[in-house]
Structures are given as structure tokens and as C-alpha cells.
Amino acid sequence: MTVKAAHMVSKGYLRAWADEKNSVEVIDVQDVRGYRISYKGATVVSYVYDPKILNHDLEQEYAEIESNGIPVINKMRDGNYALSDAETKALVAFLDMHLDRGRYANQAKVLAPAILVKTDGQHENSELNLGDRLLLSQVLPEVLRLSKLGIEEWPWHVITQPGLVTGDGAVLLWCETGSVEVNTISFPLSPTQLLVIGQPLADGTWPNLRLTQNCKRWIVGELGTLNLNFAKADGTRK
């Protein structure tokens, strides 16, 4: 399913940051600019999930993950945190999708050189677009998959924390000091609700700073929460 205006961050998820006129604030880190826009048009890239080489409908796969995951997020936003096994699995899949997109959020136009080996043994030089790379990342052993960590069995809780922002780097992986093993995942469900899976975050932890540093292209917030004048006259970031 070829989609011209594809979202790098799910619009159904971003809706919680919109005001009554559907507006959100966005900082585009890559293009060094800040602006206000409808959440429906935020984080859009043309034809970003249409693979050039591989034969798989990635956009349809993501659409199914969103259709299963967004209702779970909305349920938790309403304060109902008792999830069925199917709902928990759907949300984990959504978080994995968000991670996948976030890893490549600033590489929508990057083409990676590749050598294709045909069934007759011949080789052909080619290039992989973002859709191809996203598909390949799903089977690479070095790419972390939350579904492989068994986080469905970890403690899940939601804490109230007003002023949360979000973006392509919103799924944060936390480790204990001196360790590389992930023991906590955090993800803002809304501007006031932070989902924490695993060990509790340390007292005083404010995820916004780390989240914005983790975003490769888009940071999204409610109106009045972001510094939209973050670019200097020469086009560099403050």
C-alpha cells in the first residue's frame, strides 16, 4: 500500500498533544526550524515506507500495528491500566515500531549501497531506501527488539508528570549505572502520563531532556511548551 504522506510518528498517538484546533508545536532538528502545525500533518515524509528492493507492504504492517496499539494507548490515557495479554502484546508491538522509525527518522532520503545476489548467482549493484532498511532491521540480531526482552512480564505502571513532550525518540531505554542491560523502558502516553515498564525511574528523573536528545528529527509538544526560536540566523542550533 503506497502512501504519499506517511507519518514517522503515528498521528493517532500525537493527537493527545493537540489543542482544540488540532495544533501542536514541532521542532524539526534536521532542518533546524520550529513551527506550529496540525498533528495530522506533523512528522510527514512522502513515500517513506515504500521499499525499493524488498517485496513487503511495510505501510500496511505499520497500519495494523497502529490500529491495534492506539486503542490500548487511549485506554491507558483514560486511566484504565488493566490490560489483557493481547492488549499488552499490541502495545509492545507499537513501541517496537516507534523504535524502528525513530532509529531512521533523520534518514528518510538516505540510500544505502547494496549488492543483490540473484537466483542465477549473478550480482547487481543497487541501493536500499528507508523502507528496505527498516525491513532488514527487523531481522538483524544486533537491533534491539522489545518483544524479545519479555517486557510483557515486567512491572508496568503509569506516573503523572505534567509537561511531557514526545517525538521520534520517545521510547527511552534505561540501564543501571555501569550496565548495558536495559532494565526500564519509558514512553509518554500523553503530556501528563508517563508509561514506565520495568524498574522505577530514580526520584527526580525528568525524561524530557533525554527524550529531546534522543530524537533524531522531530520533537513534538503542546502549544507553548517548545522553544520554536531555537535556530540562530546562520541556521545553526542554539
Side-chain angles (χ1 to χ4, degrees):
M1 180 176 63
T2 301
V3 176
K4 179 179 180 180
H7 292 77
M8 293 295 282
V9 180
S10 304
K11 67 177 179 180
Y13 164 69
L14 290 179
R15 186 172 187 172
W17 278 263
D19 67 359
E20 65 279 0
K21 296 182 179 179
N22 293 330
S23 296
V24 294
E25 290 187 343
V26 176
I27 288 179
D28 185 330
V29 177
Q30 180 174 273
D31 291 346
V32 197
R33 63 193 184 104
Y35 51 91
R36 293 182 175 183
I37 191 173
S38 168
Y39 77 92
K40 299 176 183 179
T43 79
V44 167
V45 178
S46 297
Y47 303 110
V48 69
Y49 301 127
D50 189 17
K52 178 180 179 182
I53 303 298
L54 300 178
N55 184 22
H56 181 76
D57 194 339
L58 186 59
E59 183 65 43
Q60 180 61 37
E61 177 184 322
Y62 283 168
E64 292 175 1
I65 292 174
E66 289 176 335
S67 67
N68 292 328
I70 294 296
V72 182
I73 291 175
N74 289 336
K75 176 180 177 178
M76 299 186 78
R77 286 170 174 167
D78 290 339
N80 188 346
Y81 307 135
L83 304 183
S84 67
D85 290 344
E87 289 172 327
T88 302
K89 184 177 179 180
L91 187 48
V92 172
F94 185 92
L95 297 178
D96 262 331
M97 178 191 67
H98 198 104
L99 267 178
D100 284 344
R101 289 168 159 173
R103 292 185 184 102
Y104 300 97
N106 60 344
Q107 301 181 45
K109 299 179 180 179
V110 174
L111 297 176
I115 298 177
L116 305 182
V117 181
K118 299 183 178 181
T119 55
D120 60 5
Q122 295 186 36
H123 296 69
E124 177 183 325
N125 292 326
S126 187
E127 293 177 321
L128 303 177
N129 67 6
L130 182 55
D132 295 311
R133 296 167 69 197
L134 281 165
L135 285 169
L136 286 175
S137 73
Q138 295 181 3
V139 297
L140 294 177
E142 65 269 23
V143 175
L144 177 69
R145 311 296 300 174
L146 299 181
S147 58
K148 302 296 184 182
L149 295 181
I151 66 172
E152 296 90 340
E153 305 302 323
W154 292 11
W156 289 47
H157 52 282
V158 176
I159 60 177
T160 300
Q161 203 165 56
L164 293 170
V165 299
T166 191
D168 57 70
V171 179
L172 295 181
L173 311 178
W174 303 81
C175 306
E176 292 184 359
T177 303
S179 173
V180 296
E181 185 175 344
V182 175
N183 67 348
T184 303
I185 295 110
S186 67
F187 182 69
L189 298 173
S190 75
T192 60
Q193 298 164 294
L194 183 69
L195 172 63
V196 179
I197 305 172
Q199 298 299 314
L201 294 174
D203 291 343
T205 299
W206 178 238
N208 273 3
L209 176 60
R210 183 173 174 185
L211 188 153
T212 55
Q213 292 173 337
N214 195 47
C215 290
K216 290 184 168 58
R217 181 161 186 187
W218 284 287
I219 302 167
V220 181
E222 292 182 295
L223 296 191
T225 62
L226 299 180
N227 177 16
L228 301 184
N229 298 315
F230 78 119
K232 296 181 180 179
D234 62 0
T236 59
R237 295 178 67 186
K238 289 182 179 179

